[in-house]
Amino acid sequence: MAKSYDLIVLGSGPGGYVAAIRASQLGLKTAIVERENLGGICLNWGCIPTKALLRSAEVFHNMKHAADYGLAAEKISADLDAVVKRSRGVAKQLNRGVTGLMKKNKIDVVMGDGKIVEKGKVAVKTEKGEEELTAKNIIIATGARARDLPFAKADGKRIWTYRHAMTPPEMPKKLLVIGSGAIGIEFASFYNDMGADVTVVEMMDRVVPVEDEEISKFLEKSLKKQGMTIMTGAGVKSIETSAKGVQAEIEDSKGKKASHDFSHVIVAVGIQPNVETVGLDELGIEPDERFHIKTDAMCRTNVEGIYAIGDVTGGPWLAHKASHEGVIAVEAIAGGHPHAMDVNNIPGCTYCHPQIASVGLTEAKAKEAGHDVKVGNFPFIGNGKAIALGETEGFIKTVFDAKTGELLGAHMIGAEVTELIQGYTVGKTLETTEAELMNTVFPHPTLSEMIHESVLDAYERVLHM
C-alpha cells in the first residue's frame, strides 16, 4: 500500500532538508528520501567537515607563528588522524542535528534509493524491500558528485576526490592538486599548512578563475609565498600510479611537457549531477547542456508537479543557494508568491588561507555588461583591527555603477572575509547605492570598517589611506 503525501523530497542535503522543514511549517505532509546520510554531502562530506579540517590547519599555522604574538610554543606537531577524527565528529554532530529537525517537524524519513517511476509516484529501494510513496509534488534535490578525469580515476590510495582527501589513508608528502576552484584550493591550503609539498595545476590562465582578476593575482602571489607551486594555463596529460606514488605528465603554459613525481593526487575539476537513477528520461524532464536539470524561476521543471533544486540544477553550485531554492520551491507549491532567485545576490566563499569572498559582478563582468564603473580598494594593512590581529594580508574591492551608484559587486581576500561578505550581500538585496553605505556607521575597531573605506575610496573619499 503506497503512503500518500503532499510533498516528497528526494535528497536530504542543505536544499532537500530545508525544503522539507519549510513544507512542514506550511502544513504540507512531507516525506524525505535519502540513500546515505541525512544532511547530504555538505554536512557529511563537504562544507562542514572541510571547514573543521581547515580550522585545525589554521590553529596549527598560528601555533607555528606564536612568536609573532609574543608567545612561545615548543615541539609543535600535528596528528593527522586526530585532526580527521575531530572533523568526522563535527559532521556526525550535525547529522544528528538534522535527524532531530526531521523529528521535530514531523517529516517522514525513508532511507533508500528513490526513483520517480511516474508523475506523483516514487519507488524507494530500502533494506527491507521496495516502498512506494505518492505525492502531488516532488522536489529533486539529489545533488552532485566529483567529476573524474578519464585518465585519473580515483582509487582512494594515490588518486583522491574530495571525499578521500577528507579521510586520507596517510599524509601526502608531495601532493598534486588538479583544479584551482574552491575545492581544489581549500585542500591545497589545508595540506600545505599541514606540511605537504603542494603543486596546483590549473588549465585557465589564473587560479580561482571565477573570481575578480585582482583577487586571483593576489591569491597566487600569496600561495607561492607560502611555498606552493602554482602552474596556470597548464594541463595534466597523463597519470601513472604505482605502490610508491604517482607520475604525472604536465604541459605548462608554453606547451612544454615534463614528467613530475608526486605521492598523491587530488582531482578537483568540477562536479556532475546525480540524475542517472532518478527517472528523468522516463518522465521527459529536460536537462541543460551540462546534464543538470533545467528549471524556471520557481524551481519548476518542464514536467508539472516536479521541481528541482541545488547542485542537480544549474550553478552556482553552493549549499546556501540550494537552501534558498528549497524555500522558493516549497512556497510556490504551497501557493505563495516567493521572490525568484537572483544569482547576482548569491555570495561565494573559499576558505583557503587567505580566505576569499565575493558577491555580484567582477569589475570585468560589469564592464562587459555595459556599466561605466567606479571601483574602490582598501588594504588590510590600513585597518587597525587587522594590524592588531596580525592579519594584514588582503584587501576589499567594491564595484559601483558610476551613473546610478548601484552596488554591482564586492570582492575580498584576507582574514574572515567569508564573514564580512554578508554586509555587501544584504546591501545588494536591498538595492543599495553608495549613499547608504557611506552613511552607515561601522563599529570600531573591526575588520568591517574596511567595507566602509572601500566604498569611500570608489568616490575619492577614503579616510585611512
Side-chain angles (χ1 to χ4, degrees), residues 16 38 44 48 69 85 177 204 211 253 269 292 303-304 309 341 385 422 426 432 444 461 464:
L38 285 174
N44 295 282
I48 301 300
Y69 299 87
K85 183 178 179 181
V177 178
M204 303 296 284
E211 300 293 344
S253 58
V269 293
H292 292 261
V303 177
E304 185 182 2
I309 62 174
M341 177 74 77
K385 180 68 178 292
Q422 193 59 18
V426 171
T432 292
H444 174 78
R461 290 176 53 181
H464 291 91

Side-chain angles (χ1 to χ4, degrees), residues 107-166:
I107 296 160
D108 286 353
V109 176
V110 183
M111 299 301 296
D113 282 302
K115 180 177 181 179
I116 307 170
V117 291
E118 60 182 81
K119 276 182 63 175
K121 187 179 291 185
V122 174
V124 186
K125 291 182 180 177
T126 71
E127 290 182 351
K128 297 179 180 179
E130 189 166 283
E131 192 169 335
E132 195 173 272
L133 314 176
T134 63
K136 183 179 179 182
N137 296 288
I138 297 169
I139 294 177
I140 301 170
T142 48
R145 61 191 183 277
R147 186 160 66 88
D148 268 326
L149 287 173
F151 55 84
K153 296 285 185 181
D155 59 14
K157 297 177 182 178
R158 295 293 174 185
I159 304 177
W160 299 346
T161 64
Y162 66 87
R163 193 153 175 164
H164 303 118
M166 272 188 280

Side-chain angles (χ1 to χ4, degrees), residues 210-227:
V210 300
E211 300 293 344
D212 188 88
E213 190 170 350
E214 285 188 73
I215 298 291
S216 294
K217 288 179 178 178
F218 192 99
L219 179 65
E220 181 173 341
K221 184 178 179 181
S222 176
L223 297 180
K224 286 179 176 178
K225 186 178 177 181
Q226 293 173 45

Side-chain angles (χ1 to χ4, degrees), residues 116 119 137-141 275 278-280 283-287 292-309 312-313 329 332-333:
I116 307 170
K119 276 182 63 175
N137 296 288
I138 297 169
I139 294 177
I140 301 170
V275 296
V278 181
L280 305 190
L283 292 162
I285 295 176
E286 293 179 0
H292 292 261
I293 298 172
K294 281 185 181 179
T295 59
D296 68 7
M298 294 294 114
C299 305
R300 293 179 288 238
T301 71
N302 62 302
V303 177
E304 185 182 2
I306 299 180
Y307 296 69
I309 62 174
V312 78
T313 67
I333 288 167

Side-chain angles (χ1 to χ4, degrees), residues 359-362 397-400 406-411 424 428:
V359 66
L361 299 176
T362 65
K397 176 177 181 176
T398 315
V399 183
F400 292 98
E406 178 189 358
L407 173 62
L408 298 175
H411 311 275
Y424 281 116
K428 275 192 58 57

